[in-house]
Amino acid sequence: MKLNLSIFFLLLTLLSCGNKIVATSNSSDIKKQNAFNQQNSQPGYWQQHVDYKMEIDMNVDNFQYKGTQDLVYTNNSPDTLKRVFYHLHLNAFQPGSEMDVRSRTIADPDRRVGDRISKLKPDEIGYIKVNSLTQNGTSLSYKTVGTILEVDLTQVILPGESVNFNMNFDAQVPVQVRRTGRNSSEGVALSMTQWYPKMAEYDFEGWHADPYIAREFHGVWGDFDVKLTIDKNYVVGGTGYLQSETSAQNGKKTLHYIAPKVHDFTWAADPDFIHDSVSMPNGPTLHFYYKKDLAPEYLDNWKKLQPKTVALMQYFSNNIGVYPYDQYSVIQGGDGGMEYAMCTLITGERNFGSLVGVTAHELAHTWFQFLLATNESKHEWMDEGFTSYISNLAMNEVMDQNRENPQASSYRGYISLALSGKEQPLTTHADRYEYNAAYGTAAYSKGAVFLAQLGYIMGEENLKKTIKKYYRDFAFNHPTPNDVIRTAEKVSGMQLGWYLIDFGQTTNTIDYGVSEINNTKITLERIGLMPMPLDVSVTYADGTTEDFYIPLRMIRGVKPTSSTIIDDWAWAYPNYTFETSKTVQSVEIDPKYGMADVNRANNTKSN
């Protein structure tokens, strides 16, 4: 059954999970959708809209292609726009580019990049060359600056106005270095990611025309209509619904795709792809594309992956919210694993656990990046971290890992970073981390701990409700960190702004210790700067135990707990003493390891 996007969002308001719902590209539905977004987001919320029509002619002999792009840009902002910016991501794969130089000068370069870009020959580099660009039929003045096209408008774009940009461009697919490229190490011919001139995002903070140096992306939602002409022997998979396949000249075929309400369009192609599909009950159709010449054990893994992907899709839909499109593709390609609209590209020569693990992570990105779509350059931890958190839980269930704490490795990674002297705040721009390792641990591990520890603070059931409400309220809305914390406050009734500040915007650490035990009195101390409520387990001299909960005063509330609730602890007081009913034998702070306490050695003490 196919339902439009406006109905989809109405159902999301009523349900936290449910049956498959299919997005459509009807323009009236999009207008209703935008109105719904504004009604259910922060007051005054707006976002830009862009529709792409592209015709691409790919030459698989030299990996060059020609393209035309007819783009309709709608300025939903209250601002008058005098310039626009496009991303030309393929220009990063040229000697001397910012990506090249940064990779060669950072202390710990990504091993997949290293100095490889500097060694690319002219027929191996990537590029997008804009040949012409018009606005409503009038030629524009523009300049290519690295991976950004700077465009001066002949006429300003007024608030509420839609304009047409028409572009003609040539491009070359680089040798596979990072994410996009040709002839990967596993022999995949084309991994076409970030391959077209892409309009930069403009929002309440202004333009986000970040150069492509190393990290992730940010984009404008819209509808894509793409006609791809390519060698007839190539099997193609990726974003969008295939509308037709027709024969073209010179041994080629033309594939026509539409993709409604996405902020990217990706495809991969190879003449030796196997294409399998699985139709989920009341859910999307899953597609799998992988090389037929894989070793037998890898081919077997790709077959076994398919029911696991069904289980993962069901897990995320049940625990975050309904997946809104009617297909998703897992494609062998790229150089690791990377999320895209309606699909992921992953390397395929993996053991089974690794293949499921990377699929779980990239599939989870569909919710936290392609439906919630935070600005990854500024808030990469909201994407990578939240994805890591939920995929850890999914793997624990789907793969029967039976881990008591599926987030334990994320806690270990964050604490190691916090004690290393190399941590930077999560407010650091993704390209401005001094070390790649520090970026990775902050984004993935600390970001995962942010959610896991929020569950410790507000209670696990409240966290589950928060994740569903966050998705329900902010899908298709580019949420910010404040949106997450305000959602948690609405669910729990707690005051949680302090948590976003201390854990999300500083490098303050958590360190609580048991200072003294004196018969029936226990004294605790706060050593780190970051405040937290405390779970404390007390073992008495007679062998019995009792759990206590010490609220943090600035929370102005308590989490659901079966523990004995005692007086709250104000952050400014470094010490806290409470008295028990019996003689104390030993004390442990945070016995279930819910806090990212950087020194657990002082969390326990015996009398």
Side-chain angles (χ1 to χ4, degrees):
M1 179 176 64
K2 292 196 173 185
L3 302 177
N4 63 42
L5 276 172
S6 58
I7 297 175
F8 160 60
F9 271 84
L10 178 61
L11 288 177
L12 275 180
T13 307
L14 300 174
L15 302 171
S16 61
C17 61
N19 294 336
K20 177 188 73 173
I21 299 174
V22 179
T24 74
S25 59
N26 186 285
S27 60
S28 64
D29 293 332
I30 296 299
K31 291 178 181 178
K32 292 176 184 177
Q33 175 58 52
N34 289 337
F36 185 94
N37 286 346
Q38 293 178 22
Q39 180 181 356
N40 287 273
S41 303
Q42 57 268 38
Y45 177 82
W46 52 267
Q47 61 173 276
Q48 307 295 63
H49 184 83
V50 60
D51 290 329
Y52 293 86
K53 283 188 177 180
M54 293 188 286
E55 294 189 6
I56 307 299
D57 190 351
M58 169 64 72
N59 184 333
V60 297
D61 294 325
N62 59 13
F63 299 102
Q64 295 177 357
Y65 55 102
K66 296 181 179 296
T68 61
Q69 183 186 87
D70 184 14
L71 187 153
V72 180
Y73 185 81
T74 301
N75 179 17
N76 291 316
S77 82
D79 306 323
T80 297
L81 303 181
K82 300 178 181 180
R83 307 177 79 196
V84 299
F85 301 87
Y86 289 77
H87 295 282
L88 308 176
H89 291 101
L90 293 191
N91 290 354
F93 301 98
Q94 300 174 9
S97 71
E98 289 189 70
M99 181 183 283
D100 171 36
V101 173
R102 178 60 172 161
S103 180
R104 289 188 285 115
T105 55
I106 196 169
D108 57 339
D110 186 325
R111 59 179 176 77
R112 292 166 293 192
V113 182
D115 64 351
R116 292 178 61 202
I117 297 176
S118 68
K119 297 176 180 177
L120 293 179
K121 300 174 183 177
D123 64 347
E124 296 175 329
I125 66 171
Y127 64 72
I128 299 177
K129 296 179 180 178
V130 178
N131 300 319
S132 64
L133 179 61
T134 63
Q135 176 188 353
N136 294 336
T138 301
S139 295
L140 292 174
S141 174
Y142 55 87
K143 179 171 62 173
T144 298
V145 182
T147 62
I148 299 297
L149 186 74
E150 301 175 351
V151 183
D152 295 318
L153 301 179
T154 56
Q155 288 188 317
V156 298
I157 309 176
L158 298 173
E161 185 178 10
S162 295
V163 299
N164 283 77
F165 292 106
N166 191 275
M167 180 187 294
N168 179 286
F169 64 95
D170 295 326
Q172 179 171 281
V173 186
V175 169
Q176 182 77 45
V177 174
R178 188 72 183 96
R179 297 190 175 118
T180 191
R182 69 197 203 225
N183 301 328
S184 73
S185 61
E186 295 182 351
V188 176
L190 289 167
S191 297
M192 299 298 290
T193 70
Q194 308 297 332
W195 56 274
Y196 59 93
K198 183 177 181 179
M199 183 65 74
E201 179 68 278
Y202 181 86
D203 62 16
F204 71 100
E205 296 177 315
W207 284 103
H208 296 278
D210 295 297
Y212 184 28
I213 296 177
R215 304 298 179 207
E216 314 285 356
F217 310 102
H218 192 36
V220 190
W221 265 295
D223 297 340
F224 285 73
D225 186 319
V226 180
K227 291 181 178 178
L228 168 65
T229 300
I230 192 170
D231 185 286
K232 66 179 182 179
N233 295 318
Y234 274 60
V235 179
V236 180
T239 307
Y241 310 131
L242 181 63
Q243 303 299 294
S244 64
E245 178 177 326
T246 57
S247 296
Q249 295 179 341
N250 302 320
K252 292 185 174 183
K253 61 184 176 182
T254 298
L255 306 171
H256 181 200
Y257 296 92
I258 62 169
K261 201 66 176 176
V262 294
H263 55 88
D264 193 19
F265 190 98
T266 292
W267 56 279
D270 192 277
D272 295 325
F273 269 156
I274 295 173
H275 175 203
D276 295 334
S277 62
V278 178
S279 294
M280 293 180 58
N282 301 313
T285 298
L286 303 180
H287 298 274
F288 301 85
Y289 297 86
Y290 52 99
K291 296 275 287 185
K292 66 183 180 183
D293 57 357
L294 286 170
E297 64 268 28
Y298 297 138
L299 285 173
D300 185 53
N301 288 343
W302 275 84
K303 293 294 184 183
K304 293 190 298 182
L305 171 67
Q306 295 171 25
K308 293 297 184 183
T309 308
V310 170
L312 290 166
M313 177 66 77
Q314 291 171 330
Y315 183 91
F316 297 136
S317 288
N318 290 337
N319 289 278
I320 308 174
V322 179
Y323 177 77
Y325 307 106
D326 69 353
Q327 72 179 44
Y328 187 86
S329 298
V330 181
I331 306 170
Q332 183 183 357
D335 54 86
M338 183 65 189
E339 71 279 3
Y340 302 101
M342 299 187 196
C343 66
T344 180
L345 269 61
I346 62 174
T347 47
E349 296 177 354
R350 299 169 176 267
N351 65 51
F352 183 59
S354 175
L355 191 65
V356 178
V358 71
T359 301
H361 184 86
E362 305 309 335
L363 177 57
H365 271 299
T366 289
W367 283 263
F368 287 118
Q369 178 49 24
F370 273 90
L371 291 169
L372 288 161
T374 54
N375 181 345
E376 292 177 284
S377 295
K378 291 189 64 180
H379 313 302
E380 63 279 359
W381 57 277
M382 292 175 65
D383 169 34
E384 296 294 355
F386 293 7
T387 292
S388 296
Y389 170 83
I390 202 71
S391 60
N392 288 342
L393 294 179
M395 285 291 287
N396 200 49
E397 178 173 305
V398 170
M399 296 298 282
D400 298 317
Q401 293 174 335
N402 298 316
R403 293 174 178 169
E404 185 175 355
N405 182 3
Q407 313 300 337
S409 62
S410 294
Y411 277 77
R412 288 193 298 270
Y414 158 65
I415 291 170
S416 177
L417 175 64
L419 297 174
S420 71
K422 297 177 180 178
E423 184 187 8
Q424 294 171 250
L426 291 180
T427 51
T428 304
H429 188 284
D431 285 321
R432 248 80 86 201
Y433 280 84
E434 187 175 359
Y435 297 93
N436 273 320
Y439 159 81
T441 304
Y444 291 78
S445 298
K446 190 173 184 180
V449 172
F450 184 95
L451 274 190
Q453 193 167 241
L454 188 58
Y456 166 83
I457 293 168
M458 66 191 298
E460 290 299 325
E461 287 304 312
N462 279 333
L463 177 61
K464 291 177 181 178
K465 293 176 183 177
T466 294
I467 291 172
K468 291 182 178 181
K469 180 175 175 56
Y470 174 52
Y471 175 68
R472 191 166 62 241
D473 290 353
F474 291 100
F476 297 95
N477 277 272
H478 296 301
T480 66
N482 191 60
D483 294 321
V484 176
I485 216 67
R486 288 291 292 127
T487 301
E489 288 183 332
K490 292 172 183 177
V491 169
S492 67
M494 295 177 169
Q495 300 297 302
L496 298 168
W498 61 273
Y499 182 60
L500 177 61
I501 292 171
D502 275 76
F503 203 67
Q505 299 174 0
T506 77
T507 56
N508 291 346
T509 57
I510 302 164
D511 185 9
Y512 282 87
V514 183
S515 177
E516 185 179 1
I517 300 172
N518 185 3
N519 196 11
T520 60
K521 286 187 177 181
I522 299 169
T523 299
L524 310 177
E525 58 180 334
R526 176 187 55 76
I527 303 160
L529 282 174
M530 183 169 169
M532 287 291 282
L534 296 185
D535 288 338
V536 180
S537 181
V538 175
T539 299
Y540 295 116
D542 63 6
T544 61
T545 62
E546 185 174 4
D547 294 330
F548 293 88
Y549 171 63
I550 306 173
L552 179 65
R553 182 171 297 175
M554 64 178 71
I555 288 180
R556 312 298 174 191
V558 298
K559 70 178 177 181
T561 181
S562 59
S563 300
T564 301
I565 302 173
I566 53 180
D567 290 341
D568 58 27
W569 186 350
W571 169 83
Y573 302 145
N575 299 300
Y576 178 96
T577 299
F578 68 101
E579 190 161 358
T580 62
S581 59
K582 296 185 286 187
T583 301
V584 174
Q585 174 61 40
S586 63
V587 178
E588 182 176 7
I589 297 172
D590 184 29
K592 295 184 178 179
Y593 288 64
M595 291 195 308
D597 192 311
V598 297
N599 178 21
R600 292 200 61 91
N602 57 17
N603 282 34
T604 58
K605 193 177 183 69
S606 297
N607 193 7

